[in-house]
Amino acid sequence: MKRYREFMSQGECLLNALLSCIIPVLLILFCWLAWKDIPSPCQGLLILLLVLQLGSCAFHWYRYLAYDKK
């Protein structure tokens, strides 16, 4: 994981971290607005997708925050 500094600047890491937060925010907003209309099996799938997206978001923020640390 330390090799990402060779092809990505710190600004690009920040941009990736910010952009990776857009999808979970939109998914939370969608679930909040339409939760009663979503069938039960699909609710579980949406929660699983949200957990995966939050993991991706956390990874990008970790990579940005650990950019200068060796």
Side-chain angles (χ1 to χ4, degrees), residues 14-57:
L14 176 60
L15 183 65
N16 282 341
L18 292 172
L19 289 176
S20 70
C21 291
I22 291 174
I23 293 174
V25 168
L26 290 175
L27 190 57
I28 290 170
L29 182 64
F30 171 75
C31 289
W32 182 61
L33 292 174
W35 190 254
K36 293 179 184 176
D37 298 331
I38 300 171
S40 215
C42 294
Q43 289 177 350
L45 180 62
L46 283 174
I47 291 172
L48 177 66
L49 290 174
L50 180 61
V51 169
L52 291 173
Q53 285 294 327
L54 288 174
S56 172
C57 185

Side-chain angles (χ1 to χ4, degrees), residues 2 5 66-70:
K2 296 179 181 181
R5 288 186 200 100
Y67 190 85
D68 287 333
K69 295 181 171 88
K70 293 183 180 182

